[in-house]
Amino acid sequence: MSPTLVLFHSNLRVGDNPALAAAAELGPVVPVFVLDENFGRPLGGASRWWLHRSLQSLGNDLRDLGAPLTLRQGDLLDEVKALVHETGATRIFLQHGYDPSIQKGEAALHKWGVKSDVEIKRFAGQVLFPPETIRTQQDKPYTVFSPFWRACLKQASFGPLVRCDTLPPVAEQPLSLDLEELHLLPSHFDWTPSLAEAFTPGEAQALETLDAHLDEGLRSYKEMRDHPGHSPGTSKLSAHLRFGEISPRTIWHRTQEAMARDPDLSCDGEWFLRELGWRDFSYHLLHHFPSLPNAPLRPAFENFPWSQGPSAELTRWQKGLTGFPIVDAGMRQLWQTGWMHNRVRMIVASFLVKELLIHWREGEAWFWDTLVDADPASNAASWQWVAGCGADAAPYFRIFNPVLQGEKFDADGTYVTRFVPELAKLPKKFLHKPWDAPATVLEEADLTLGQDYPHPIVDRKQARGRALEAFQSIKAEKPRGISA
Ligand SMILES: Cc1cc2nc3c(=O)[nH]c(=O)nc-3n(C[C@H](O)[C@H](O)[C@H](O)COP(=O)(O)OP(=O)(O)OC[C@H]3O[C@@H](n4cnc5c(N)ncnc54)[C@H](O)[C@@H]3O)c2cc1C
């Protein structure tokens, strides 16, 4: 039997991997990962670190099953052609991807496969509900989440998870690069140890993280998911999902099982799966509007009066030096750990686009570089949502007040003082607005504003007025050519 090449990209797992399982049933398998940096948007620094560690873990798992991972770098099609030639493979199996850069690769492979008599077969697995299968009654894509999710739930019936316990190897392994030769890790200054302290990439950890969430976090998920200082917090599965170390179906099935075992978990479980639905919704949008990472879904925003030119304010936002504690805590959490709590992502994003009037694409790009879960769909869709120019977007007059948000969701200051320790001695009353503290209180807290911690970067009242004016200057229109 001729071997099957199985191409991995954003599905770095052996469990519930339909492409791998189908190949294993047919005979020898050659698992392959090609790093093609000319395809699409280059990965950010934090994602490169995650990918390195994830490939390491996948390589070990595949070797244990019998078929080592072959690593290549270069043009995807050229590398695949070379491997077909070297191994005599007649089939290429892969997971169908909804990221336009992956789709470009798939299209090139398909075109070549037809000419060369090599079977190219794509399998589901990236999302729960393939974007092309969820349509409005008018046969259009959805642009509002709630009806989208209702339509999804009507179709929610998934077969059992697939698995393979052994992978028949080829007689002669093709040459593989060493993982280090992909140069995914930083070459000069190694800033990754703090990421490694916060996260362990790989499938085994993804499954453990899910189990821990179902055992400890799920019970209070709906109530506490907005509180960034609360432990156990949200699942922290996002980067594992981004790299496909766990399938969304696995999360779906295990959550349903947990709810069946303990009906008290139903409400939290459904809420958790709904969040997973937001991930599907983001891919739904990206699939139907491939320009999502670059262009506003609401065309009126093309004329939005963003502030122009290089900005010291952007740098202060990136470094967590805005003088607004919850914003700074979020930006420092991101820098230190490669991840930020969802509530705080909304606060810092709103602050950038509304208080500072800096283009959402600047924020999206910074997140792309620094998040371990930087995702082509969720990142762009979420930034557009906050900026008010996306699907089902927050209305322009919804401007998160960082003081009230901090007081509501981090009332005891656990989160802010973890990442902004210079404020630790301030009484709780002033933690989210140190500028209001009387001089004696600041002195007792060993805090000199402008020296130990910055003065606020903007006068919020003025900034809010400026933002409302700017947002009113463009007419809110429906997203491009769609209805919900
Ligand atoms: C400005 C901004 C940028 C964002 N960028 C990204 C990104 O690049 N990658 C990313 O995965 N998420 C992004 N999100 C969504 C969300 O913040 C993260 O998915 C979430 O914080 C991940 O933590 P968790 O795994 O503990 O989430 P949980 O609350 O445990 O949720 C479970 C899973 O559901 C999905 N999910 C939850 N909320 C959302 C959401 N609002 N949109 C899409 N999927 C969601 C994630 O895959 C997550 O792992 C962004 C949100 C904002 C406001």
Side-chain angles (χ1 to χ4, degrees):
M1 192 59 151
S2 62
T4 308
L5 296 189
V6 178
L7 282 186
F8 287 80
H9 48 87
S10 48
N11 58 335
L12 305 180
R13 63 177 180 272
V14 298
D16 196 38
N17 186 329
L20 187 65
E25 280 185 6
L26 294 176
V29 176
V30 183
V32 177
F33 178 86
V34 179
L35 182 66
D36 182 347
E37 307 218 59
N38 293 323
F39 252 128
R41 187 178 188 178
L43 289 179
S47 297
R48 290 173 75 84
W49 169 80
W50 191 289
L51 177 61
H52 179 97
R53 296 282 302 270
S54 191
L55 286 171
Q56 201 167 34
S57 162
L58 177 69
N60 292 338
D61 293 344
L62 287 167
R63 194 175 326 104
D64 289 349
L65 289 181
L69 179 64
T70 297
L71 295 173
R72 294 285 171 101
Q73 180 165 26
D75 180 81
L76 176 73
L77 189 53
D78 288 348
E79 293 303 322
V80 167
K81 282 182 193 170
L83 279 162
V84 164
H85 181 70
E86 287 164 42
T87 60
T90 53
R91 286 174 300 276
I92 299 171
F93 287 2
L94 72 161
Q95 177 179 285
H96 181 35
Y98 293 100
D99 172 351
S101 63
I102 292 171
Q103 290 187 336
K104 230 163 110 188
E106 283 182 17
L109 280 175
H110 181 74
K111 206 166 145 199
W112 167 77
V114 170
K115 277 197 308 211
S116 320
D117 220 13
V118 173
E119 182 193 0
I120 313 281
K121 197 163 173 188
R122 304 178 316 175
F123 293 80
Q126 189 174 24
V127 292
L128 287 167
F129 303 96
E132 60 276 16
T133 63
I134 305 288
R135 312 281 296 177
T136 66
Q137 283 183 347
Q138 293 75 36
D139 198 27
K140 291 190 170 154
Y142 280 93
T143 55
V144 178
F145 175 73
S146 296
F148 165 81
W149 190 234
R150 278 196 298 275
C152 289
L153 290 179
K154 280 192 196 144
Q155 294 195 12
S157 142
F158 305 107
L161 303 179
V162 295
R163 53 175 292 126
C164 45
D165 298 318
T166 168
L167 291 172
V170 281
E172 201 176 326
Q173 281 302 318
L175 284 180
S176 170
L177 293 172
D178 286 337
L179 181 55
E180 283 64 30
E181 289 178 279
L182 296 183
H183 300 293
L184 291 166
L185 297 179
S187 51
H188 302 303
F189 168 65
D190 185 8
W191 44 268
T192 59
S194 64
L195 301 190
E197 255 174 52
F199 289 100
T200 305
E203 182 172 358
Q205 185 60 42
L207 293 167
E208 245 179 66
T209 303
L210 174 62
D211 285 345
H213 179 64
L214 296 178
D215 287 348
E216 296 153 29
L218 193 60
R219 197 164 297 279
S220 55
Y221 182 78
K222 185 168 182 229
E223 193 192 340
M224 299 313 290
R225 58 179 288 274
D226 273 322
H227 295 260
H230 180 74
S231 177
T234 54
S235 72
K236 291 204 168 179
L237 279 165
S238 48
H240 297 295
L241 273 161
R242 154 70 182 92
F243 288 93
E245 296 169 354
I246 188 166
S247 72
R249 278 177 9 132
T250 302
I251 299 179
W252 180 277
H253 275 293
R254 295 259 187 111
T255 307
Q256 296 289 356
E257 283 160 16
M259 293 192 288
R261 274 195 307 275
D262 181 352
D264 284 350
L265 289 176
S266 306
C267 179
D268 293 290
E270 276 162 23
W271 206 263
F272 175 54
L273 293 176
R274 193 171 191 273
E275 291 309 307
L276 215 51
W278 274 99
R279 177 178 179 272
D280 265 45
F281 184 53
S282 303
Y283 273 97
H284 184 82
L285 294 174
L286 182 64
H287 175 73
H288 293 291
F289 310 100
S291 62
L292 186 75
N294 307 307
L297 279 188
R298 290 169 195 266
F301 272 78
E302 262 147 24
N303 302 319
F304 189 83
W306 300 109
S307 49
Q308 300 292 324
S311 157
E313 291 183 340
L314 175 62
T315 311
R316 279 181 65 178
W317 177 81
Q318 289 169 334
K319 290 187 168 170
L321 292 173
T322 66
F324 287 87
I326 190 94
V327 174
D328 294 341
M331 297 311 292
R332 294 185 200 185
Q333 178 180 34
L334 173 60
W335 186 248
Q336 284 168 33
T337 69
W339 185 86
M340 193 196 300
H341 188 278
N342 180 59
R343 166 64 44 182
V344 192
R345 290 187 204 205
M346 291 193 280
I347 299 170
V348 303
S350 171
F351 191 82
L352 185 80
V353 296
K354 298 194 173 161
E355 263 88 346
L356 302 182
L357 277 193
I358 293 178
H359 203 303
W360 61 269
R361 278 206 306 261
E362 296 281 0
E364 196 272 349
W366 182 251
F367 272 30
W368 181 259
D369 197 26
T370 51
L371 276 173
V372 286
D373 64 27
D375 183 276
S378 301
N379 198 31
S382 302
W383 273 96
Q384 291 221 27
W385 181 86
V386 176
C389 56
D392 203 4
Y396 73 90
F397 50 80
R398 179 155 188 211
I399 301 183
F400 283 81
N401 178 328
V403 177
L404 297 183
Q405 290 281 316
E407 287 173 348
K408 182 166 179 194
F409 295 110
D410 186 38
D412 63 1
T414 311
Y415 179 73
V416 154
T417 51
R418 189 184 312 152
F419 292 102
V420 190
E422 58 269 41
L423 302 180
K425 291 192 197 156
L426 266 186
K428 291 196 179 29
K429 191 174 160 196
F430 299 112
L431 258 182
H432 293 285
K433 44 180 179 196
W435 56 86
D436 267 1
T440 48
V441 172
L442 289 173
E443 201 179 319
E444 273 169 33
D446 292 333
L447 191 68
T448 307
L449 289 182
Q451 192 177 302
D452 305 311
Y453 184 69
H455 290 292
I457 190 171
V458 284
D459 175 316
R460 262 217 84 240
K461 218 167 150 199
Q462 274 176 15
R464 191 182 140 78
R466 186 179 64 154
L468 287 176
E469 217 173 278
F471 278 85
Q472 261 155 351
S473 73
I474 56 161
K475 242 172 82 202
E477 287 171 17
K478 278 193 158 192
R480 288 172 200 274
I482 11 172
S483 61

